[in-house]
Amino acid sequence: MSERLDQAIAFATASHAGQVRKLAGSPYILHPLEVCTIASTLTSDEDILIAALLHDTVEDCNVDPREIRLRFGPRVAAPAQSESEHKLSDRPPADTWMERKEESLLMLEHTKDTGTRILWLSDKLSNIRSFYREQLKSGDAIWQALNQKDPQMHRWYYQTVADYLTEFKGQAAYEEYTMLIEKTFGGKK
């Protein structure tokens, strides 16, 4: 492991200190570590692996994107920030869910950056794994813990991401992702 990757792990761990995942209640840092692990099955590009570790620090930890750029460089900062949603904090998160998702999907649809696309697949696979595990434990009650309560809206979002990332068809991460969409949401569209 390189010194830069070690520094990114330490930075992400410090940034997410005390945070827990909404559904599982597990330490939040386990999610970026999983995203990085998934990304490592798709690329050995250290900048993308570091971006995977840092992808939630801007949105969830109020880390200034300039700090990521200064510490780790622009090739890390751009993909790391690509998934940061504008919180639209003047309204409740449940009221802005669709607007935020549509805006982020627009960015994904138009980006040509392979690293950003790898990061998206890695993050969404980690998330859908979490949904699937929690649904096995709690059934459809899991959706009540989220800003968007309708599981079919989540299906729409995760399926749209899959539709935009078809260049990864045949890769284990993509195949697992699409399989878990079906297992989590069933055949209903």
Side-chain angles (χ1 to χ4, degrees):
M1 192 169 358
S2 80
E3 187 175 324
R4 281 182 76 229
L5 202 55
D6 287 342
Q7 290 171 353
I9 290 169
F11 184 84
T13 301
S15 297
H16 290 292
Q19 293 180 334
V20 295
R21 290 284 278 174
K22 192 180 287 186
L23 291 177
S26 58
Y28 198 95
I29 189 61
L30 298 177
H31 169 65
L33 290 171
E34 180 180 29
V35 173
C36 181
T37 301
I38 294 166
S40 75
T41 70
L42 298 163
T43 186
S44 60
D45 185 329
E46 185 178 71
D47 285 335
I48 303 310
L49 301 181
I50 292 171
L53 289 165
L54 305 179
H55 79 278
D56 278 338
T57 59
V58 172
E59 182 178 336
D60 296 334
C61 305
N62 297 318
V63 170
D64 188 323
R66 292 174 295 193
E67 183 175 0
I68 293 173
R69 188 173 293 107
L70 285 171
R71 285 179 181 243
F72 300 102
R75 282 202 67 238
V76 170
Q81 198 175 351
S82 72
E83 286 197 301
S84 296
E85 292 182 352
H86 298 100
K87 289 291 190 183
L88 305 172
S89 56
D90 58 322
R91 294 178 280 161
D95 293 350
T96 63
W97 187 90
M98 181 62 106
E99 186 177 344
R100 290 181 287 115
K101 299 306 178 199
E102 286 176 335
E103 183 180 313
S104 67
L105 286 170
L106 205 59
M107 191 288 307
L108 175 61
E109 180 182 20
H110 294 290
T111 187
K112 303 288 187 240
D113 182 68
T114 302
T116 296
R117 298 173 77 76
I118 286 170
L119 176 57
W120 269 75
L121 175 57
S122 302
D123 179 47
K124 299 313 178 223
L125 175 53
S126 175
N127 288 343
I128 199 80
R129 282 176 176 175
S130 180
F131 283 164
Y132 181 66
R133 283 190 306 266
E134 291 305 312
Q135 189 177 44
L136 288 175
K137 282 197 278 185
S138 308
D140 285 340
I142 69 162
W143 308 111
Q144 298 312 304
L146 302 173
N147 291 320
Q148 174 53 258
K149 312 281 185 232
D150 182 352
Q152 291 311 308
M153 294 305 294
H154 289 278
R155 181 193 177 95
W156 161 80
Y157 176 69
Y158 281 89
Q159 184 60 56
T160 303
V161 169
D163 293 345
Y164 290 159
L165 296 175
T166 57
E167 73 264 30
F168 296 109
K169 275 187 179 178
Q171 296 281 343
Y174 183 86
E175 299 305 321
E176 180 185 359
Y177 178 67
T178 56
M179 175 198 65
L180 287 174
I181 291 171
E182 290 305 311
K183 286 183 173 265
T184 303
F185 301 107
K188 302 170 255 162
K189 289 192 178 184

